[in-house]
Every structure is written in C-alpha cells, then in structure tokens.
Amino acid sequence: MIYLVTRHQGAVEWCARQNVQVDAWLPHLDVETIQAGDTVIGTLPIPLAAAVAARGGRYWHLTVPVTWSQRGQELTATQLESMGAYLQAYHVKAVE
C-alpha cells in the first residue's frame, strides 16, 4: 500500500499532478496499520518516520521550501509547484 498522510488538499492535488500513485489518503497515520513493503508519503515527525521504517515500510518526505511568512499557511498545488516541492526517500532509525 502507498499512503499519503496529510491534512492539506494542496498536497493531495500536488501529488496527483506529479502522477504519484497513492492507494489511500489519510489525515493521520496509525503506524500499526503499516506492513512491510508499504510506502508512506508525507511530512511525518521523526519518531513516526522511524516507526514506519521499524515496521518495514518506506518513508518519502514531501519537502516544501517554505519561507518564514508562509509557515502555517494552506498552500495550493500550484504554490507547491512554484516553490519547488519534491519527494525524497528517507530511512530513519531510532538509536538507543
């Protein structure tokens, strides 16, 4: 399964415009649903990204180079495109 985890409609539309295949769009991730081989796309906090990896999933971060004044604003797909948003795979692991 490929999950897009976001509360933002602009991110959903941006993924569609980029032809990113998504099986399920979730406003919140319950990491217990992740199985080995699943992919999660979003802007997860580090501990949650590490939990995805620990369960055998892959994490792709939606990187959006926002300015200070844009923080907290709802952005459209067009704005995300013009800002140069992109997906980057990460493997995050918690260390004892």
Side-chain angles (χ1 to χ4, degrees):
M1 289 282 289
I2 301 172
Y3 298 96
L4 173 59
V5 182
T6 183
R7 295 173 291 128
H8 304 285
Q9 184 63 39
V12 174
E13 291 173 12
W14 180 87
C15 285
R17 289 183 185 186
Q18 305 308 308
N19 296 315
V20 175
Q21 178 189 343
V22 173
D23 298 312
W25 167 30
L26 308 171
H28 175 78
L29 178 64
D30 176 0
V31 75
E32 298 297 318
T33 64
I34 300 302
Q35 298 180 16
D38 287 348
T39 298
V40 176
I41 300 167
T43 57
L44 300 183
I46 291 172
L48 196 51
V52 167
R55 296 184 62 83
R58 293 191 57 177
Y59 175 59
W60 286 77
H61 189 79
L62 173 55
T63 300
V64 182
V66 295
T67 63
W68 177 255
S69 64
Q70 293 168 316
R71 290 184 57 89
Q73 292 184 16
E74 200 59 41
L75 301 171
T76 66
T78 301
Q79 287 173 305
L80 292 172
E81 287 172 343
S82 69
M83 296 164 72
Y86 62 95
L87 294 176
Q88 173 70 53
Y90 285 89
H91 180 80
V92 181
K93 181 179 179 184
V95 177
E96 296 290 324

